[in-house]
């Protein structure tokens, strides 16, 4: 039987909500099921980040060229830098039947909702604001000023969450990974995603009946 197209899932959440950890664990747990899109960005790499692994690191000029060449499904500015999703990889993985995860901020998520109405939008929060602050300061990779702008941004993003389909609270990582996996896999059973399969079954039944 023909392989079903994968589901596009957008995962957003405040900086420090632990999205990155959850996505890494999800991919480690189900490597054949999921593909994580690698974004392009104009921000500087953090010490542990490698080009082509966490992000494709671009100059502003290179990024603008990608926009001009229509190479990005969506892009947005976040705390002074550009971030965008390369189209080609996402399309290829969805066609190969993989569920593709985009870990992007809210403006990008809303653009995906318009461009791909079939996508699922998931919002991940930490259990509390105090925990969010602790995680951001504990990470030790950004200056206090950058952390404050990220917390301010979190405050404004909280206003847009009603556009999302699901809320997942990240308290215990394994539980959160389990929950996210369950949400995405349940989506495969939704009737509107299976109409083609039903039509094929009907076709086969017709052949049986008329044989
Ligand atoms: P960070 O600098 O912490 O890696 O990412 C900052 C924010 O940009 C996060 O909320 C992250 O989800 C978001 N982001 C990462 N890649 C993309 C992308 O391709 N498009 C959009 N719109 N946001 C992204």
């Amino acid at each position: 039987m023909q392989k079903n197209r994968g589901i596009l899932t957008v995962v957003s959440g405040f900086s420090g909500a632990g999205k990155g950890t959850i996505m890494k664990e999800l991919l480690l747990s189900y490597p054949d099921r999921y593909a994580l899109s690698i974004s392009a960005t104009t921000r500087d790499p953090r010490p542990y980040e490698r080009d082509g692994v966490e992000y494709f690191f671009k100059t502003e000029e290179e990024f603008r060229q990608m926009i001009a060449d229509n190479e990005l499904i969506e892009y947005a500015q976040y705390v002074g830098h550009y971030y965008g999703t390369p189209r080609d990889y996402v399309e290829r993985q969805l066609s190969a039947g993989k569920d593709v995860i985009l870990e992007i901020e809210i403006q990008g998520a809303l653009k995906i909702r318009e461009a791909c109405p079939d996508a699922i939008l998931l919002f991940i929060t930490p259990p509390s604001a105090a925990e969010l602050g602790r995680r951001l300061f504990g990470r030790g990779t950004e200056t206090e000023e950058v952390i404050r702008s990220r917390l301010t941004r979190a405050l404004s993003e909280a206003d847009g969450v009603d556009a999302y389909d699901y809320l997942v609270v990240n308290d215990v990582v394994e539980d959160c990974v389990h929950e996210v996996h369950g949400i995405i896999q349940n989506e495969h059973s939704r009737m509107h995603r299976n109409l083609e399969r039903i039509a094929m079954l009907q076709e086969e039944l017709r052949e049986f009946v008329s044989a």
Side-chain angles (χ1 to χ4, degrees), residues 11-16 19 37-41 43-44 46 48-49 54-55 63 72 74-79 81-86 102-109 111 136 139 142 150 153 157:
V11 176
S12 305
F14 310 134
S15 184
K19 289 164 292 175
S37 160
I38 302 173
S39 297
T41 183
R43 85 150 160 74
D44 290 333
R46 294 179 183 138
Y48 54 86
E49 288 178 331
E54 282 82 8
Y55 282 104
F63 198 96
L72 301 173
E74 62 74 37
Y75 67 93
Q77 271 196 313
Y78 183 92
V79 192
H81 294 288
Y82 281 115
Y83 293 80
T85 307
L102 306 184
E103 190 204 316
I104 66 179
E105 54 63 73
I106 196 159
Q107 299 168 63
K111 287 183 201 159
L136 273 178
R139 195 153 78 178
E142 276 105 8
R150 283 174 176 249
R153 171 77 184 221
E157 287 196 331

Side-chain angles (χ1 to χ4, degrees), residues 83-94:
Y83 293 80
T85 307
R87 182 187 307 281
D88 189 48
Y89 176 81
V90 172
E91 266 309 316
R92 273 190 286 117
Q93 297 296 326
L94 286 175

Side-chain angles (χ1 to χ4, degrees), residues 27-207:
L27 263 94
L28 278 175
S29 307
Y30 309 97
D32 299 331
R33 184 65 266 155
Y34 296 105
L36 183 64
S37 160
I38 302 173
S39 297
T41 183
T42 57
R43 85 150 160 74
D44 290 333
R46 294 179 183 138
Y48 54 86
E49 288 178 331
R50 290 146 298 162
D51 188 38
V53 180
E54 282 82 8
Y55 282 104
F56 295 107
F57 294 98
K58 302 285 176 191
T59 62
E60 276 212 25
E61 198 187 338
E62 287 167 338
F63 198 96
R64 290 215 185 90
Q65 193 58 49
M66 292 179 84
I67 299 173
D69 294 341
N70 198 25
E71 285 178 26
L72 301 173
I73 308 181
E74 62 74 37
Y75 67 93
Q77 271 196 313
Y78 183 92
V79 192
H81 294 288
Y82 281 115
Y83 293 80
T85 307
R87 182 187 307 281
D88 189 48
Y89 176 81
V90 172
E91 266 309 316
R92 273 190 286 117
Q93 297 296 326
L94 286 175
S95 302
K98 289 232 178 168
D99 292 332
V100 178
I101 314 274
L102 306 184
E103 190 204 316
I104 66 179
E105 54 63 73
I106 196 159
Q107 299 168 63
L110 299 181
K111 287 183 201 159
I112 293 289
R113 165 111 301 163
E114 270 184 33
C116 319
D118 254 10
I120 318 172
L121 270 57
L122 274 173
F123 198 86
I124 298 186
T125 65
S128 66
E131 179 61 22
L132 180 65
R134 249 196 309 278
R135 287 183 193 172
L136 273 178
F137 283 103
R139 195 153 78 178
T141 50
E142 276 105 8
T143 61
E144 190 170 330
E145 193 194 341
V146 169
I147 293 174
R148 290 209 181 279
S149 15
R150 283 174 176 249
L151 285 172
T152 309
R153 171 77 184 221
L155 198 59
S156 69
E157 287 196 331
D159 286 335
V161 293
D162 53 357
Y164 284 73
D165 301 306
Y166 295 94
L167 173 76
V168 180
V169 178
N170 177 21
D171 197 351
V172 177
V173 170
E174 300 84 76
D175 295 350
C176 197
V177 169
H178 188 70
E179 196 175 338
V180 170
H181 178 63
I183 290 171
I184 300 173
Q185 296 317 307
N186 280 342
E187 276 290 323
H188 279 282
S189 308
R190 297 281 296 268
M191 190 53 88
H192 73 94
R193 297 188 192 273
N194 288 283
L195 294 177
E196 220 173 288
R197 180 172 288 207
I198 297 289
M200 274 165 63
L201 203 65
Q202 278 180 313
E203 196 51 46
E204 284 168 19
L205 283 172
R206 254 183 228 113
E207 278 170 28

